[in-house]
Amino acid sequence: MLTNAAVPFRVEKARVDEEMIRAALQSEDAHPRDIADALAESKARKVSHRNPGNLVLGCDQVLEFEGRVLAKPESLEDAREQLTAMRGKRHRLLSAAVIYEDAEPIWRHVGVVRMQLRSISDDYLEDYLARNWQSARQSVGAYKLEEEGVRLFERVEGDYFTVLGMPLLEILSFLTVRGDLKS
Ligand SMILES: Nc1nc2c(ncn2[C@H]2C[C@H](O)[C@@H](COP(=O)(O)OP(=O)(O)OP(=O)(O)O)O2)c(=O)[nH]1
């Protein structure tokens, strides 16, 4: 997404134990928004300590369905089960972004999108997964809105980029206002 926006960046793996952070927060009944924010912050903070003088952007996305935070389906069977449970109903995608500079948080935003799934048939779900699992497995909801996943939806209420994984418009606005990006 940053490449498409002609924003120069490099990727550095944060290597944080996301499962441990997520489990700890869920055991305290943390709100999905706070879980996404904490995961994004943990990545940005860890990389920022190693990169003084640089802006470090950490992101994370969670899917909330009926009060539960779902993890990425690990198998086609998990994806079938998850999409079958969610069809005809609404879920939310929450994408958090946190920017650190010199080991201090200087900006954060959590984008929220409401997704209304169609009551897709078993047959179409099977065809969809057969065609799309290899790509959709990278996504927390087992769909990519910019691909065939769009056919799963009746309505999408919110920002397109937040669905794809990060609140890009808000990030670009912050960097532009700060003068890091020309406009
Ligand atoms: N291209 C695309 N990606 C999507 C869509 N919906 C969700 N995603 C992606 C955005 C996130 O990268 C990913 C789910 O976030 P996660 O944080 O679970 O996985 P990710 O591998 O991105 O990062 P992480 O494991 O947290 O370091 O799903 C979509 O419609 N299109």
Side-chain angles (χ1 to χ4, degrees):
M1 289 162 77
L2 293 175
T3 302
N4 290 345
V7 174
F9 70 98
R10 67 181 161 80
V11 175
E12 193 167 315
K13 274 273 177 202
R15 300 200 197 296
V16 300
D17 185 344
E18 287 192 54
E19 283 326 303
M20 189 269 289
I21 296 170
R22 182 196 294 257
L25 288 168
Q26 285 186 287
S27 69
E28 296 158 15
D29 285 336
H31 190 282
R33 173 189 295 267
D34 297 331
I35 295 174
D37 178 75
L39 288 165
E41 169 149 29
S42 64
K43 297 178 213 177
R45 180 171 58 241
K46 182 144 189 196
V47 175
S48 182
H49 281 283
R50 297 196 294 257
N51 291 273
N54 285 269
L55 290 182
V56 178
L57 168 66
C59 292
D60 198 83
Q61 183 186 67
V62 298
L63 183 153
E64 179 196 10
F65 175 58
E66 295 183 338
R68 286 177 298 127
V69 171
L70 304 188
K72 228 185 288 189
E74 290 175 7
S75 66
L76 191 150
E77 290 67 34
D78 287 351
R80 178 188 298 118
E81 204 174 302
Q82 185 167 301
L83 287 170
T84 301
M86 296 197 313
R87 65 184 168 188
K89 296 176 185 169
R90 185 184 285 182
H91 65 272
R92 297 195 310 163
L93 288 178
L94 298 96
S95 294
V98 177
I99 295 178
Y100 263 65
E101 184 172 38
D102 294 329
E104 286 299 323
I106 58 170
W107 180 85
R108 61 188 345 118
H109 179 80
V110 180
V112 183
V113 186
R114 280 209 289 261
M115 315 290 288
Q116 175 69 43
L117 267 179
R118 293 185 187 289
S119 301
I120 52 175
S121 66
D122 294 345
D123 283 355
Y124 176 66
L125 179 54
E126 287 314 310
D127 291 350
Y128 165 79
L129 287 171
R131 280 192 294 270
N132 294 277
W133 170 240
Q134 285 315 319
S135 170
R137 66 190 306 160
Q138 297 158 3
S139 300
V140 68
Y143 54 76
K144 285 191 174 176
L145 195 60
E146 74 275 27
E147 296 175 0
E148 184 178 344
V150 66
R151 288 183 48 188
L152 302 175
F153 292 96
E154 223 161 75
R155 207 168 44 256
V156 173
E157 296 168 33
D159 172 65
Y160 174 74
F161 297 106
T162 296
V163 175
L164 266 57
M166 69 177 171
L168 180 63
L169 291 168
E170 291 79 1
I171 293 165
L172 296 177
S173 296
F174 171 71
L175 296 175
T176 302
V177 164
R178 254 179 54 111
D180 298 292
L181 290 180
K182 274 190 263 172
S183 71

